[in-house]
Amino acid sequence: MQLNNTTQYAIRILSYIANKHDKQLYSAKELAEILSIPYKFLTKIMTELVKADFILSIRGREGGYKLSRPASEISIMDVLNQFNEFVEQKQCLLGIGMCDNNNKCGLHDQWVKPKKMIKDMFENTTLENLDGNGYKI
Amino acid sequence: MQLNNTTQYAIRILSYIANKHDKQLYSAKELAEILSIPYKFLTKIMTELVKADFILSIRGREGGYKLSRPASEISIMDVLNQFNEFVEQKQCLLGIGMCDNNNKCGLHDQWVKPKKMIKDMFENTTLENLDGNGYKI
DNA sequence: TTTAAATACTACTAAAAGGTAGAATTAAAC
DNA sequence: GTTTAATTCTACCTTTTAGTAGTATTTAAA
C-alpha cells in the first residue's frame, strides 16, 4: 500500500520544479543533489518525464529542465498513470482480475469509498496546489 | 498503490478458510487448487500464517490447516501488518522518511483523510465480516 | 574552433519479490 | 511396522524494480 520508488521520485522532482519560480531551468546535477536522488537514476526518470510531456528539456551547455505546461495542468493522477500506478480503475484489491458490482471480491464493497477518496484526491491535486511552501522535499 | 502478491494471497487464503464452515481442516493441496495459487508458494505462505498465529496446522496424514482463533478476531489490518504492508503509520507517501504535522511532505495534508479511511476500513473488517457469501475467491 | 557542461542512449549490476525443487518430518491408516 | 499423505525446512531459480557505468550527442562559452 505504498507508491513505488520511481513514482515517489517523479512526483518530488515535478513538485520541486513546479514550486520554485525563481529560475528558468534546473539541471539534473542540481536536482539530484537537492532532492537526494541518485544522479544516474534521476536522469533516467527525467527522460521518461520528457517523453511523457510533463517536462521540456534543453540540451547542451547551460541546458536543463522545466515544466512543459502550467503546474495547474498536471495532476498527481497524471503522473501515477504515466508510471503504471493505479492504472486500471477496476483492478481488484485482492488481485482476482477485475472487480465491479457484478463481480466482487470479498473486500470490494468496503473498498469502494476509500478508493474513491484516493482517486479524487490524486485527480484534484495538481503540481500547483501541493501544500504551498515550507514542506520537505 | 496495490497490495503485494503475497499479501493478496494471504488474505484470500484466510478469508476462504474463515468463510467455509462445512469442514474442519483444509490441506495445502486443496487450497492451492481452489484458490489458484502455486502449491509451493502457498505452503510457504501457510508457514508464515502459522507462525503469525492466524492458522493452526495439524501435521501428518489427514492433517491440514484451520483458523487458530475466531474469524471475528482477525482483522485485515492484522494480516497487512504481518506482511509488512502499511506497517508504519507515519510512513511518508513520497518516501521522505516519516510524516506528521510538524514534518510534512507536499501531499501530507491531502493524504490524511484518505489514509484514515483506508486504515479504518482495514481495521474494522475482519475475516468474519467480509462480503458474506457469493463473492469470488 | 575547441572545450566544457549539459541531456540522451545503451547496457549492465544489485536487491527485492515472486516462485520452484527436493528432501525431512510427522502421524494416521493399512 | 510400513506406507501414505500431509506439513516444514533449506536452498535455489526467475522476474521485476532499483540503481550504476560509460559513451554519444548537443550547444553555449571561451
Side-chain angles (χ1 to χ4, degrees):
Chain A
M1 222 60 206
Q2 266 281 109
L3 297 173
N4 69 40
N5 232 325
T6 307
T7 311
Q8 293 177 335
Y9 286 157
I11 295 173
R12 289 175 57 212
I13 294 164
L14 289 169
S15 130
Y16 180 76
I17 295 177
N19 285 283
K20 297 279 185 176
H21 302 295
D22 50 349
K23 281 188 54 178
Q24 278 299 303
L25 291 178
Y26 294 88
S27 73
K29 183 164 176 286
E30 191 179 358
L31 292 170
E33 277 168 11
I34 294 173
L35 299 171
S36 301
I37 300 173
Y39 173 76
K40 281 292 192 178
F41 196 32
L42 180 132
T43 60
K44 200 183 216 173
I45 297 172
M46 293 317 291
T47 304
E48 207 169 337
L49 292 174
V50 169
K51 283 181 180 154
D53 192 36
F54 295 135
I55 289 284
L56 207 137
S57 71
I58 312 293
R59 299 185 64 169
R61 184 168 174 159
E62 306 289 295
Y65 302 100
K66 63 179 177 181
L67 287 192
S68 67
R69 15 179 185 142
S72 61
E73 287 177 22
I74 300 176
S75 72
I76 301 298
M77 186 61 94
D78 293 335
V79 184
L80 298 186
N81 283 334
Q82 184 62 30
F83 287 88
N84 296 317
E85 299 262 4
F86 220 61
V87 265
E88 180 52 75
Q89 215 49 40
K90 289 186 172 176
Q91 195 128 15
C92 174
L93 183 59
L94 297 181
I96 319 173
M98 299 294 147
C99 252
D100 59 37
N101 276 328
N102 302 319
N103 196 25
K104 299 179 180 180
C105 72
L107 281 175
H108 182 78
D109 287 341
Q110 292 94 323
W111 182 231
V112 170
K113 274 193 192 171
K115 182 165 82 172
K116 178 153 175 43
M117 280 209 80
I118 300 172
K119 184 169 168 282
D120 289 350
M121 186 279 245
F122 283 140
E123 278 173 353
N124 297 331
T125 304
T126 70
L127 295 183
E128 192 181 35
N129 53 29
L130 291 172
D131 180 22
N133 266 345
Y135 56 83
K136 61 185 173 184
I137 54 178
Chain B
M1 222 59 207
Q2 267 278 112
L3 297 174
N4 69 39
N5 232 326
T6 307
T7 311
Q8 292 177 336
Y9 285 157
I11 295 173
R12 289 174 57 211
I13 293 164
L14 288 169
S15 129
Y16 179 76
I17 294 178
N19 285 284
K20 296 279 186 174
H21 303 292
D22 50 350
K23 280 188 58 179
Q24 279 297 302
L25 290 177
Y26 294 88
S27 73
K29 183 164 176 286
E30 191 179 357
L31 292 170
E33 278 168 8
I34 294 173
L35 299 172
S36 302
I37 299 173
Y39 172 77
K40 281 290 193 178
F41 195 32
L42 181 132
T43 61
K44 198 183 216 173
I45 296 171
M46 293 317 292
T47 304
E48 207 169 336
L49 292 174
V50 169
K51 284 179 179 155
D53 192 35
F54 295 135
I55 289 284
L56 207 138
S57 71
I58 314 292
R59 298 185 65 167
R61 184 167 174 160
E62 307 290 293
Y65 301 100
K66 63 179 177 182
L67 287 191
S68 67
R69 16 180 184 140
S72 60
E73 288 176 20
I74 300 175
S75 72
I76 301 298
M77 186 60 95
D78 294 333
V79 184
L80 298 187
N81 283 334
Q82 185 61 31
F83 287 89
N84 296 318
E85 300 261 6
F86 221 61
V87 264
E88 181 51 74
Q89 215 49 40
K90 289 187 172 177
Q91 194 127 18
C92 174
L93 184 59
L94 297 182
I96 319 173
M98 299 295 147
C99 252
D100 59 37
N101 277 328
N102 302 319
N103 197 25
K104 299 179 180 182
C105 73
L107 281 174
H108 182 78
D109 287 341
Q110 292 94 325
W111 182 230
V112 170
K113 274 193 191 172
K115 182 165 82 172
K116 177 152 175 44
M117 281 210 78
I118 299 172
K119 183 169 167 283
D120 289 349
M121 185 279 246
F122 283 140
E123 277 173 354
N124 297 331
T125 304
T126 69
L127 295 183
E128 192 181 37
N129 54 28
L130 292 170
D131 181 22
N133 266 344
Y135 57 82
K136 60 186 173 183
I137 56 178

